[in-house]
């Protein structure tokens, strides 16, 4: 282990800060990427700033977001500025500052345990990760997650009770499922301490209780307020996404947990997605990337089993193991914005393995260059994916978001002419925000009516449409083709096609487009308008 007396800031602190902050700001300027979910959350935040309450639909008290900080900070910025563009850019700047601060914390955490080349490898691998950067600048809470997780590691290793309580509370304010990573890193810390001295478990437990009490105190106002305001602290987004997911058998999950090392090698899971761009599975990226991701992720998540490794490596590796298991076996789907937690833990674990390998090779006086070349290749691999994904995101924003979904939302607003009309749609963000209409979104993140219809009638869209009778259907062409209702409804005169928003030609003309499948999925939308009064008996099937 490297001495704890080493100065964590041999480099000037502002260079480390810029190392974390500057790349993500450059990505924001280059891509202008504002993701779908930003506008879902921001609609509720803007309504709060305008005095309508923290709701997506004024008059309907529903918890339509997941992260408290991701809705409250934009609400404050909207109240202060009254400008939607300024709100997003100020939020991006705040996220960039948090990433810069995260680099400072990671440097302090890693330097006592890792040789310089290892902690430098850690920082470089972290700052070039595309998912961390993109889900910071596109309107998500990634920067808050990685900041408070790195602060958690610092507090555990330096045994600072107050700092740990603040870090845990910050994680919960950033995303409530942070409790998974709080428990995982806490358990790994206990394991690390007990491997050194079994009698330490009492001190660790007391440490946990004090920090946990402070965290609960700091987070409890949100639990109390949401219970009073919404009737439950559980976000409606969680209810909608988890509907019909089925109950989890504890014994089955336990068996899957212990079998995960073998399962993760033989099957597709979260390991395949950890080090690749978001939604790579949709096509347009070389399939070998997922194999490379798995080859990097598997040893990183298993390193905690090695003897005589540093506490930092053991905590990060076990936390990664639990996180990847959670994303593979517990969540309905390993969505890309769930990964920043795992990214931080993975790059620390890889840096710890690099340090351990350097120590081993140096002790045997073997040449060091193959190992350093491998580390450099990892950074170059990640940087290359980031540069390619930046181009993809620039095209996505220009062609799909600004060129299709935003105009489609504004068109619907104009067509509604001030009436409170309803829209059936899957992609809720841009269409919902810019139309301002009442949304029957699938799976129902903003719509209790949709969730009730799913409970009563199942998941078939044709049945849901006939039950909800929305004024508008906004469907991807692929969605319209698979729906029996569209053909039948047109034949019955219930709906008529009124508009097609098509960017397929614009997508096709781009010669170099990594992740082309992601844009192709959203390149064409068809819009149908209801033609028959909802009380007309023709709505009912024979």
């Amino acid at each position: 282990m490297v001495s704890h007396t080493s100065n964590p800031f041999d480099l000037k602190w502002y260079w480390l800060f810029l190392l974390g902050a500057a790349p993500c700001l450059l990505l924001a300027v280059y891509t202008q990427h504002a993701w779908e979910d930003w506008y879902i959350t921001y609609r509720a935040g803007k309504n709060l700033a305008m005095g309508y309450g923290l709701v997506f639909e004024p008059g309907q008290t529903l918890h339509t977001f997941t992260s408290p900080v991701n809705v409250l900070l934009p609400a404050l910025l909207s109240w202060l500025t009254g400008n939607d563009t300024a709100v997003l850019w100020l939020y991006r700047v705040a996220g960039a500052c948090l990433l810069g601060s995260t680099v400072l914390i990671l440097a302090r955490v890693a330097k006592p345990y890792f040789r310089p080349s290892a902690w430098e490898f850690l920082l470089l691998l972290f700052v070039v990760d595309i998912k961390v950067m993109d889900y910071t600048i596109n309107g998500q809470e990634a920067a808050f997650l990685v900041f408070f997780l790195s602060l958690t590691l610092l507090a555990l290793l330096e045994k600072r009770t107050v700092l740990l309580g603040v870090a845990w509370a910050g994680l919960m304010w950033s995303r409530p499922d942070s409790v998974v990573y709080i428990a995982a890193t806490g358990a790994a810390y206990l394991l690390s301490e007990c491997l050194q001295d079994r009698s330490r478990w009492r001190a660790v437990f007391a440490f946990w209780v004090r920090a946990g009490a402070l965290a609960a105190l700091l987070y409890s106002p949100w639990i109390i307020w949401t219970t009073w305001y919404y009737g439950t602290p559980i976000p409606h987004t969680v209810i909608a996404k988890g509907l019909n997911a089925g109950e989890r058998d504890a014994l089955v999950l336990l068996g899957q947990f212990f079998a995960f090392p073998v399962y993760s090698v033989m099957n597709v899971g979260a390991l395949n997605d950890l080090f690749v761009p978001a939604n790579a599975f949709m096509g347009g990226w070389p399939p070998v990337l997922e194999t490379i991701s798995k080859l990097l992720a598997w040893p990183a998540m298993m390193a905690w089993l090695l003897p005589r490794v540093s506490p930092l490596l053991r905590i990060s590796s076990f936390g990664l193991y639990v996180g990847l298991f959670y994303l593979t076996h517990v969540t309905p789907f390993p969505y890309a914005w769930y990964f920043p937690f795992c990214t931080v833990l993975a790059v620390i674990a890889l840096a710890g393995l690099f340090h351990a390998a350097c120590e081993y090779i140096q002790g045997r006086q073997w040449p060091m260059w193959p190992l350093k070349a491998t580390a450099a290749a990892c950074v170059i691999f990640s940087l290359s994916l980031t540069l390619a994904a930046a181009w993809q995101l620039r095209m996505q924003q220009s062609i799909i978001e600004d060129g299709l979904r935003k105009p489609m939302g504004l068109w619907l607003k104009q067509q509604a002419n001030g009436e409170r009309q309803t829209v059936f749609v899957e992609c809720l963000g841009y269409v919902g925000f810019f139309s301002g209409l009442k949304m029957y979104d699938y799976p129902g993140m903003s719509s209790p009516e949709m969730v009730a219809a799913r409970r009563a009638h199942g998941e078939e869209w044709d049945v849901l449409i006939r039950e909800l009778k929305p004024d508008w259907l906004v469907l991807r062409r692929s969605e319209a083709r698979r729906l029996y209702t569209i053909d039948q409804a047109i034949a019955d005169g219930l709906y008529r096609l009124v508009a097609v928003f098509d960017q397929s030609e614009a997508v096709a003309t781009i010669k170099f487009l990594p992740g082309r499948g992601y844009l192709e999925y959203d390149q064409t939308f068809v819009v149908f308008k209801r033609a028959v009064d909802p009380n007309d008996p023709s709505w009912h099937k024979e």
Side-chain angles (χ1 to χ4, degrees):
M1 181 188 297
V2 181
S3 170
H4 278 270
T5 61
S6 60
N7 182 3
F9 301 116
D10 291 336
L11 289 173
K12 295 294 185 181
W13 70 268
Y14 49 80
W15 289 117
L16 288 173
F17 180 85
L18 285 175
L19 180 67
C24 107
L25 285 177
L26 289 173
L27 184 72
V29 171
Y30 179 71
T31 67
Q32 301 289 319
H33 191 215
W35 190 51
E36 265 281 297
D37 278 27
W38 161 254
Y39 285 107
I40 300 173
T41 302
Y42 182 50
R43 177 164 157 171
K46 186 175 181 179
N47 279 336
L48 177 62
M50 294 174 66
Y52 298 125
L54 193 54
V55 295
F56 187 90
E57 177 72 17
Q60 187 174 68
T61 307
L62 197 68
H63 192 165
T64 58
F65 50 88
T66 304
S67 167
V69 73
N70 188 226
V71 72
L72 293 177
L73 179 56
L76 174 62
L77 295 174
S78 180
W79 181 74
L80 291 173
T81 67
N83 184 292
D84 297 340
T85 302
V87 170
L88 179 56
W89 273 104
L90 288 171
Y91 189 79
R92 286 166 169 163
V93 171
C97 291
L98 284 172
L99 287 190
S101 301
T102 300
V103 169
L104 290 172
I105 296 171
L106 290 176
R108 175 164 174 165
V109 167
K111 287 194 73 174
Y113 297 99
F114 299 162
R115 58 173 54 209
S117 57
W119 68 259
E120 290 165 0
F121 171 54
L122 186 166
L123 298 185
L124 290 174
L125 205 54
F126 172 73
V127 300
V128 300
D129 184 83
I130 183 60
K131 287 200 286 293
V132 170
M133 281 195 287
D134 184 39
Y135 287 103
T136 292
I137 62 100
N138 70 15
Q140 290 300 100
E141 65 275 4
F144 293 90
L145 298 176
V146 299
F147 173 78
F148 286 113
L149 182 59
S150 61
L151 204 62
T152 294
L153 297 175
L154 177 65
L156 285 171
L157 293 168
E158 295 188 358
K159 298 178 173 60
R160 297 170 62 178
T161 303
V162 173
L163 185 63
L164 183 59
V166 170
W168 281 353
L171 282 172
M172 295 301 295
W173 279 92
S174 301
R175 191 172 178 88
D177 64 355
S178 298
V179 68
V180 173
Y181 299 91
I182 290 172
T185 52
Y189 173 74
L190 174 64
L191 173 63
S192 179
E193 290 290 295
C194 290
L195 285 174
Q196 298 178 55
D197 184 349
R198 292 182 181 179
S199 66
R200 291 185 184 181
W201 72 268
R202 291 184 179 86
V204 172
F205 183 74
F207 180 37
W208 282 352
V209 170
R210 292 192 298 270
L214 177 59
L217 179 66
L218 295 175
Y219 187 58
S220 61
W222 180 253
I223 296 294
I224 294 169
W225 183 81
T226 51
T227 302
W228 168 77
Y229 189 72
Y230 298 113
T232 174
I234 301 173
H236 193 71
T237 54
V238 174
I239 295 171
K241 290 180 180 179
L243 189 66
N244 301 327
E247 295 185 1
R248 303 287 181 174
D249 186 285
L251 290 178
V252 171
L253 281 175
L254 185 63
Q256 291 172 335
F257 183 82
F258 288 110
F260 189 55
V262 176
Y263 176 91
S264 59
V265 171
M266 306 299 294
N267 297 276
V268 174
L271 280 73
N272 299 70
D273 299 323
L274 181 58
F275 289 109
V276 300
N279 303 304
F281 67 92
M282 298 184 75
W285 294 98
V288 71
L289 296 183
E290 294 187 8
T291 301
I292 295 173
S293 176
K294 182 177 286 191
L295 289 174
L296 292 172
W298 196 90
M301 78 171 190
M302 299 304 299
W304 62 278
L305 292 171
L306 296 174
R308 297 187 297 278
V309 296
S310 68
L312 176 59
L313 174 54
R314 200 176 303 279
I315 293 170
S316 300
S317 176
F318 184 76
L320 177 62
Y321 184 100
V322 173
L324 292 174
F325 171 80
Y326 171 71
L327 295 180
T328 301
H329 286 292
V330 180
T331 59
F333 184 81
Y335 298 105
W337 55 97
Y338 291 179
F339 278 93
F341 281 123
C342 291
T343 299
V344 174
L345 299 171
V347 298
I348 295 174
L350 286 173
L353 287 173
F354 176 73
H355 168 81
C358 286
E359 295 284 299
Y360 184 85
I361 290 173
Q362 188 177 54
R364 284 155 180 76
Q365 298 184 338
W366 293 347
M368 196 74 72
W369 69 264
L371 185 60
K372 291 186 176 180
T374 302
C378 290
V379 175
I380 293 170
F381 168 76
S382 186
L383 177 60
S384 300
L385 292 183
T386 293
L387 294 175
W391 171 251
Q392 176 210 26
L393 293 172
R394 181 183 173 94
M395 294 299 99
Q396 166 79 15
Q397 187 64 39
S398 173
I399 296 173
I400 303 300
E401 313 299 11
D402 293 335
L404 190 154
R405 283 201 269 226
K406 180 179 176 180
M408 189 162 57
L410 293 172
W411 181 86
L412 282 168
K413 181 178 182 179
Q414 183 182 43
Q415 295 298 309
N417 196 27
E419 295 183 19
R420 207 77 197 130
Q421 298 183 354
T422 56
V423 182
F424 181 100
V425 68
E426 186 276 331
C427 48
L428 173 63
Y430 277 84
V431 175
F433 183 84
F434 287 102
S435 73
L437 300 179
K438 165 66 179 174
M439 311 305 288
Y440 290 152
D441 72 285
Y442 184 89
M445 293 187 293
S446 74
S447 172
E449 299 91 346
M450 174 63 75
V451 172
R454 289 173 60 208
R455 282 197 176 110
H457 302 285
E459 303 297 323
E460 295 300 326
W461 282 19
D462 59 329
V463 177
L464 296 174
I465 288 170
R466 285 186 174 269
E467 176 66 21
L468 295 169
K469 305 177 181 63
D471 296 296
W472 302 89
L473 308 178
V474 177
L475 305 169
R476 297 176 179 90
R477 179 162 285 170
S478 59
E479 294 167 346
R481 284 172 177 165
R482 73 168 184 258
L483 278 177
Y484 165 79
T485 290
I486 300 306
D487 293 334
Q488 189 62 43
I490 292 172
D492 294 344
L494 300 179
Y495 284 94
R496 56 187 174 87
L497 178 67
V498 292
V500 177
F501 292 82
D502 186 12
Q503 289 284 55
S504 57
E505 186 176 341
V507 173
T509 57
I510 305 172
K511 300 302 181 184
F512 175 72
L513 185 57
R516 183 181 296 273
Y518 186 41
L519 276 73
E520 290 177 337
Y521 181 64
D522 290 318
Q523 68 187 6
T524 306
F525 280 79
V526 290
V527 181
F528 296 86
K529 190 176 190 315
R530 195 183 67 203
V532 174
D533 186 277
N535 296 316
D536 192 292
S538 59
W539 279 100
H540 303 288
K541 286 185 178 181
E542 294 297 331

